[in-house]
Amino acid sequence: MNEKSYSQSYKEAGVDITAGYRAVELMKAHVARTKTAGCLDELGGFGGLFGLDLTGMAQPVLVSGTDGVGTKLRLAFRMDKHDTVGIDCVAMCVNDVICCGAKPLFFLDYIACGKNVPERIAQVVAGVAEGCVQSGAALIGGETAEMPGFYPEDEYDLAGFAVGIVDKAKIINRNTMAEGDVVIALPSSGVHSNGFSLVRKVFDVDSPEFLTPRPELGGDSLGQTLLTPTKIYVKPMLALFDRVQVKGVSHITGGGFYENLPRAIPDGLGAKIQKDTLRIPPIFSLIAQAGNIPERDMFNTFNMGVGMSVTVAKADADTALEILRANGEDAYVIGQIVQSEDKVILV
């Protein structure tokens, strides 16, 4: 901490730079958990340094992804729980990067707040660090911006940026996909971090009922269930890439099945998904019932229990399932690739 740095005038304007120093000190232990061999500097410099190990790579390609947590943050404010949204932030970025076949290398976060409360900022960063540990990425830097008059004092926004690497020859190529290939689901942990504007329209997050335990949710409240962090699929997917040719990967985020599955399918083919095979968590039924939301809209907004889909040749399906399950994913087959002008066919 820089003990000689202090501005009373700036503090009177609403920005306490000493709180920023205190927040950095509190978060250093969390950041240390994410350190990998590529980290070249300590937290606090002007840029995050990372050394690349290109051993065995003929044509290394960097893959980047950026995202935020969205209006799910409103639930964190409501429940005064800030140590999980950082996992969401990391997940939204690294799960996109892995869709290209890339291994995440490092992550940076950006937190904008109305008032820098060091303990709260440290909780947020603790979640970011946990997400980085789960994905094998190093947290090499970030920024906390105190913006009085722009954000309410008890609110903040959170976004992040991830960079990964893949050998060019190993980039997932959807053009290898063919009729008869198998579509495998990796289950989600719930709603993840998409569709919360609709969730908040359906449920009054400020009502006492939002915090009431519900039998259909295993005794958890709506708040607890909805705040469950996004699952990170990096390590199981990297294990899969090592042994099986993967032809397509879709991270099921905003836009649900209808927006995300097509991004990994070439023209002339479609994914025929058997709806009765889907393991849809109870929270989605509650959302649909409470909001009187048509099934088509549910599948075009939420992940419906499928956080990521993987397409492989039929001959590789059993091996793929075995690898994913050995790495903690209760993966299962949900459909196949067919000739179609429609990219998604739900039957």
Side-chain angles (χ1 to χ4, degrees), residues 28-60:
K28 280 186 175 180
H30 302 300
V31 174
R33 296 179 57 217
T34 76
K35 192 169 184 177
T36 65
C39 296
L40 299 180
D41 200 4
E42 299 298 323
L43 191 68
F46 287 100
L49 306 181
F50 193 90
L52 289 176
D53 180 1
L54 304 180
T55 304
M57 287 196 174
Q59 290 182 281

Side-chain angles (χ1 to χ4, degrees), residues 57-283:
M57 287 196 174
Q59 290 182 281
V61 176
L62 294 178
V63 180
S64 60
T66 185
D67 211 335
V69 182
T71 63
K72 183 175 184 175
L73 290 174
R74 289 286 180 193
L75 277 66
F77 305 155
R78 167 71 173 92
M79 301 181 71
D80 194 23
K81 181 174 174 56
H82 310 281
D83 60 350
T84 61
V85 289
I87 301 174
D88 289 296
C89 189
V90 176
M92 297 307 295
C93 298
V94 298
N95 284 346
D96 279 354
V97 166
I98 201 70
C99 288
C100 299
K103 175 184 178 181
L105 295 174
F106 59 82
F107 187 84
L108 294 94
D109 61 14
Y110 175 78
I111 305 169
C113 57
K115 182 178 181 180
N116 189 333
V117 180
E119 292 75 16
R120 184 168 60 208
I121 297 299
Q123 287 182 46
V124 175
V125 175
V128 174
E130 175 58 27
C132 287
V133 169
Q134 290 183 24
S135 61
L139 178 55
I140 64 170
E143 174 69 12
T144 301
E146 192 171 17
M147 302 169 65
F150 195 88
Y151 292 95
E153 287 193 356
D154 58 349
E155 295 186 5
Y156 56 84
D157 198 5
L158 173 63
F161 176 83
V163 171
I165 193 167
V166 61
D167 203 340
K168 186 175 181 180
K170 296 182 179 180
I171 295 174
I172 303 301
N173 182 4
R174 67 178 185 175
N175 291 319
T176 62
M177 202 173 292
E179 184 179 15
D181 288 344
V182 172
V183 182
I184 295 172
L186 280 64
S188 70
S189 56
V191 180
H192 283 183
S193 296
N194 306 102
F196 275 86
S197 293
L198 180 53
V199 168
R200 293 184 301 107
K201 181 177 183 292
V202 171
F203 300 119
D204 180 2
V205 301
D206 294 317
S207 69
E209 289 76 16
F210 193 71
L211 304 181
T212 301
R214 302 180 70 126
E216 61 267 55
L217 297 177
D220 288 337
S221 67
L222 281 169
Q224 289 173 307
T225 301
L226 290 167
L227 201 57
T228 300
T230 306
K231 186 182 285 190
I232 291 175
Y233 300 99
V234 170
K235 293 180 180 179
M237 290 301 298
L238 289 176
L240 182 65
F241 295 152
D242 281 343
R243 292 180 53 191
V244 172
Q245 181 193 2
V246 175
K247 300 186 176 188
V249 183
S250 292
H251 182 200
I252 313 301
T253 57
F257 278 53
Y258 286 104
E259 184 171 318
N260 293 287
L261 287 179
R263 297 165 70 177
I265 302 174
D267 291 341
L269 297 176
K272 185 177 182 180
I273 305 299
Q274 302 289 334
K275 286 188 295 184
D276 60 358
T277 65
L278 298 177
R279 303 169 186 173
I280 303 176
I283 184 61

